[in-house]
Amino acid sequence: MGQGALMDWSRREFLQAAAGAGASLLLAGCEAQQADLAQLPGVWLGASAERGHRLRGPLPAAQSAPALPLQRRQVLIVGGGIAGLACARGLSQAGLDDFALLELEDQVGGNSRGHRMGGMACPMGAHYLPLPGPQSHEVYQLLEQLGLVRQELGRAVWDERYLCHSPQERLFFEGQWHEGLLPPEPSPSALAQLRRFEQAVERAQRELGFAMPSHRAPWTPAHAALDSQSFAAWLQAQGLNEPTLRWYLDYCCRDDYGTSSEGVSAWAGLHYFASRHGFHAPGADSIEREPVLTWPQGNAFLSEAMAAPLRERIHAGRTVLRIEAGKHDISLRVWNEGLQREEGWQCQQLVLATPLFMARRLLGPGLAALDEVVAQQAHAPWLVANLQLKQPLLQRLGAPPSWDNVIYGSQALGYVDAMHQSLRPVSGPTVLSAYWALPQARRGELLRSDRRHWLTQVLAELSAVHPDLPSQLERADLVRWGHAMSIPSPGLRGSSALWALRNLPGRIHFAHSDLAAYSVFEEAYTLGCETATTVAKFTTNNHRKSA
């Protein structure tokens, strides 16, 4: 897996890679300043493929007795991502103490985990949270309890330290940086299409209704019609084909959903804007980007805060191998990764806060709704490259360095600056986190190829804009997520099977953002809270019956 290995590069290989991105001429002029990339340290981080793939092969023969004593809990939660942590938090706040959370990795948080390089925090995945709207009251309550917001005279007052500092976003377009992510100075025909799309989003908000989380808006035949077609097809039918608009909308889809407008439904494409901040064409009355909360370590700030009071109930490094539902109890075969031994766990209620395809492997086939969803649902692989720099990069013309920096026309998603929130008076070393949403066909390549293969591509992409980047590099830690997020492909959000899994009666409960058809913090956290309420009511009712 390349853990801890130094990269074996030659200067020639790097220059050849950079040439593929049109950067070789820029690099050739500063060869004397090139870092010795052959000695550049770094490791692979992220989800453990070895642990996750343990379920692909045949299960080891069951032991005649558990290697460790059988552990019993009233409730078990499998999966320590945002939904699992939210469920655990909800159970604890409801006064239910007899539960445990089993997490495959050594650290909870899912793709909301953090990392440190050179003493600087940086994200391994999700890195921001939009201010919650009125339907996200559970998320608002969490932020209030964490001290990030307070009520004064009936209005929310946010802690300025965690609101994204200005400048927030910039786009590299036609040789220089521009503020915001829409290409500047559109032609009259382009501006007309931008305004038509703005009107379409406003009409969708007004006439159909969208919410975050999405199940708090009604689902109507009009929503289903949008869900039945791709976003690209809907845009084409509306005559919205201007290249800069389509690039921007593709970028938005890849950023939130992991694939282009061809791969997501029209419902998902409109939901991106209509459930939150709308869409504002240049020259509109309000084109200010919505405020977001962010931290150097990204959303790990939230996952770590949620996990802190639950430490005694979190059992990390536990790979669940199989689940068997009996008449009175649910039994789990669990592999203790630290001790390399099998454990036995039992519970009365089980929360599966795992991706749905993993839940099916644990339960086996036979649950019709789960079988149907898994056959339909696809997940996008992601690559995150954390690049530790000695000093700030030289700047090109235009807008100053921002928190989020995107290159027009790139298939990558740009990079965020982990030290952007710092209040230090003089800029210095930092970590840039570059994001790539990869086609599903490249999942195998992401797993098999070494770090040099991927870092070569990341540097070639960024060096076309920042030719001094290689000379400033001190370390590069790469993160791979084989199944980073559910893709809301046409027909998935409106699937009756998804709805059935959200409302499944019995002692096994599903709680993962896969049930929303896409992956964002608000969906995962809300679902975890709702599942905790269901579990607590089930437990209370059982106690009353037994009494």
Side-chain angles (χ1 to χ4, degrees), residues 85 88-89 92-93 97 99 142 145-146 302-314:
L85 290 172
R89 179 183 174 87
S92 180
Q93 292 180 339
D97 296 323
F99 72 89
L142 168 69
Q145 291 170 351
L146 295 181
L302 299 172
S303 64
E304 291 167 4
M306 292 163 62
L310 302 168
R311 294 297 181 195
E312 294 182 359
R313 296 185 176 89
I314 293 174

Side-chain angles (χ1 to χ4, degrees), residues 83 86-87 89-90 138-139 524-534:
C87 184
R89 179 183 174 87
E138 293 93 344
V139 174
Y525 186 82
T526 302
L527 185 56
C529 292
E530 291 176 342
T531 304
T533 299
T534 299

Side-chain angles (χ1 to χ4, degrees), residues 423-488:
L423 297 178
R424 63 189 182 187
V426 179
S427 59
T430 192
V431 177
L432 303 183
S433 299
Y435 288 82
W436 283 38
L438 299 170
Q440 296 175 66
R442 300 188 74 181
R443 181 178 290 114
E445 180 187 355
L446 181 62
L447 174 65
R448 294 186 299 269
S449 300
D450 63 17
R451 287 187 314 111
R452 180 177 65 177
H453 170 83
W454 288 106
L455 188 54
T456 296
Q457 296 182 58
V458 171
L459 294 182
E461 187 83 18
L462 293 179
S463 294
V465 174
H466 296 296
D468 59 325
L469 173 60
S471 65
Q472 294 291 356
L473 266 180
E474 286 196 307
R475 183 182 179 91
D477 290 344
L478 272 59
V479 189
R480 53 183 160 199
W481 301 103
H483 301 82
M485 57 179 63
S486 170
I487 298 172

Side-chain angles (χ1 to χ4, degrees), residues 356-373:
L356 295 179
F357 71 88
M358 185 175 292
R360 185 178 183 273
R361 289 178 186 171
L362 298 177
L363 294 171
L367 182 57
L370 184 58
D371 293 344
E372 181 179 337
V373 171

Side-chain angles (χ1 to χ4, degrees), residues 277-288:
H277 48 79
F279 175 87
H280 306 289
D285 293 337
S286 173
I287 60 173
E288 183 179 353

